[in-house]
């Protein structure tokens, strides 16, 4: 009972912090720059527990946070030139070259986990800004919190729906080798909940915020399904990572919920997929 209460309080604060951050672009950038840094720090710490792996946690974390902020600045138009990415590229080059002199037993593993921290964490989180800042036909960039916030809402509803339906009706395992508790029934139930939520959001946006009505109802439903599929894969990818390391939770920074990777695993696949989906709609 005590663990349930702790988990519930943490969950409420977690959701409230994310929702509140989307009320202001500066708050959003600050919060997710912090989340990016904490997640990379956690990931690289787990990587360094692997035999013959030794990555530079500090530089990887700083580089990832810088990349997130650079993408946010570029997407918002504050730093319109691509030169803002030069320090990041130089840092990545340094991390490669430094292995020539460190004399580590397995530099290839170090390179692999160094780049994985950027490709698996920094890059996906940076796509939040790509969704949040939209350019208008007259060249003005506006902050649109509805798209990225909706992705989080879809992820939360999918998890809740999948858990409830799976607990009641789940019989057929979705991916028993990696996540034996997930079921096809739960996944379908979560998807149905998200489809209903996507349609509801499309109507709310159309009726109350037409300025931000970027998608049709059918396109909103498509976005919801994309988030469901890739969010589930994101969860499974992190589960595979933890099973490979032989750990239950990626950390303990969030009482009752584990680590940062445990909370944002679905997001790391869902947000890049959402960006690809939305931008594909603009070119077809």
């Amino acid at each position: 009972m005590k663990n349930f209460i702790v988990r519930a309080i943490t969950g409420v604060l977690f959701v409230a912090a994310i929702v509140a951050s989307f009320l202001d672009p500066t708050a959003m950038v600050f919060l997710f720059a912090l989340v990016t840094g904490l997640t990379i720090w956690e990931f690289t710490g787990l990587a360094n527990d692997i035999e013959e792996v030794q990555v530079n946690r500090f530089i990887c974390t700083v580089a990832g946070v810088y990349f997130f902020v650079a993408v946010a600045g570029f997407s918002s138009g504050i730093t319109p030139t691509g030169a803002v990415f030069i320090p990041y590229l130089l840092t990545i080059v340094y991390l490669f070259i430094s292995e020539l002199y460190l004399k580590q037993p397995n530099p290839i593993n170090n390179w692999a986990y160094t780049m994985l921290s950027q490709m698996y964490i920094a890059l996906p989180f940076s796509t939040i800004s790509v969704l949040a800042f939209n350019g208008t036909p007259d060249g003005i960039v506006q902050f649109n919190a509805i798209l990225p916030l909706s992705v989080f809402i879809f992820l939360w509803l999918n998890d809740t729906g999948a858990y409830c339906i799976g607990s009641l009706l789940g019989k057929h395992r979705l991916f028993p080798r990696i996540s034996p508790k997930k079921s096809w029934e739960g996944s379908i139930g979560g998807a149905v909940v998200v489809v209903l939520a996507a349609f509801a959001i499309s109507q709310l946006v159309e009726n109350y915020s037409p300025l931000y009505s970027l998608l049709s109802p059918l396109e909103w439903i498509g976005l919801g399904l994309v988030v469901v599929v890739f969010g589930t894969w994101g969860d499974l990818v992190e589960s595979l990572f933890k099973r490979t390391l032989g750990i239950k939770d990626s950390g303990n920074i969030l009482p009752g919920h584990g680590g940062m990777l445990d909370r944002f695993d679905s997001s790391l696949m869902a947000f890049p997929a959402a960006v690809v989906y939305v931008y594909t709609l603009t070119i077809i």
Side-chain angles (χ1 to χ4, degrees), residues 12 41 44 49 70 80 83 92 98 133 147 151 181 187-188 197 200 228-229 263 265 269 276:
V12 169
W41 184 263
T44 50
D49 287 336
I92 296 301
S98 64
F133 296 102
L147 275 177
V151 173
K181 293 184 179 181
S187 296
I188 294 171
V228 167
V229 172
R263 285 299 86 207
D265 52 0
M269 294 293 167
V276 172

Side-chain angles (χ1 to χ4, degrees), residues 63 66-67 70 74 81-94:
Y66 180 87
F67 182 76
F74 187 77
T81 173
V84 69
F85 295 103
I86 290 178
Y88 177 76
L89 295 175
L90 291 175
T91 302
I92 296 301
V93 170
Y94 164 77

Side-chain angles (χ1 to χ4, degrees), residues 90-258:
L90 291 175
T91 302
I92 296 301
V93 170
Y94 164 77
L95 288 171
F96 272 89
I97 295 176
S98 64
E99 288 295 332
L100 296 173
Y101 303 95
L102 293 176
K103 299 180 181 179
Q104 298 290 344
N106 197 329
I108 293 179
N109 273 352
N110 296 343
W111 285 330
Y113 282 100
T114 293
M115 292 309 300
L116 192 57
S117 73
Q118 306 302 303
M119 299 299 294
Y120 178 47
I121 299 171
L123 179 60
F125 276 132
S126 70
T127 58
I128 294 175
S129 296
V130 177
L131 282 182
F133 296 102
N134 309 132
T136 61
D138 54 4
I140 299 175
V141 177
Q142 61 184 12
F143 178 63
N144 180 0
I146 293 176
L147 275 177
L149 182 56
S150 294
V151 173
F152 277 115
I153 291 173
F154 294 154
L155 289 171
W156 298 333
L157 290 177
N158 181 50
D159 286 345
T160 303
Y163 176 78
C164 294
I165 301 301
S167 298
L168 294 173
L169 305 174
K171 294 182 179 179
H172 301 86
R173 299 300 96 183
L174 177 66
F175 224 112
R177 182 174 69 89
I178 296 176
S179 186
K181 293 184 179 181
K182 291 186 182 297
S183 67
W184 279 104
E185 292 84 357
S187 296
I188 294 171
V192 171
V193 172
V194 170
V195 166
L196 295 175
F199 180 76
I201 289 175
S202 73
Q203 298 305 299
L204 289 172
V205 172
E206 182 67 31
N207 294 329
Y208 298 103
S209 301
L211 179 64
Y212 299 122
S213 183
L214 303 177
L215 306 176
S216 69
L218 187 59
E219 290 169 342
W220 271 107
I221 292 173
L223 176 62
L225 292 176
V226 167
V227 170
V228 167
V229 172
F230 283 87
T232 301
W233 276 335
D235 191 352
L236 292 171
V237 165
E238 199 247 355
S239 294
L240 179 59
F241 176 67
K242 291 191 295 184
R243 279 186 174 274
T244 302
L245 297 184
I247 59 176
K248 180 180 180 182
D249 296 321
S250 63
N252 55 13
I253 192 172
L254 298 171
H257 289 263

Side-chain angles (χ1 to χ4, degrees), residues 33-56:
L34 178 63
V35 168
T36 299
L38 291 174
T39 308
I40 293 177
W41 184 263
E42 178 180 275
F43 174 84
T44 50
L46 293 173
N48 281 344
D49 287 336
I50 302 173
E51 186 177 358
E52 293 190 350
V53 174
Q54 188 62 48
V55 301
N56 192 315

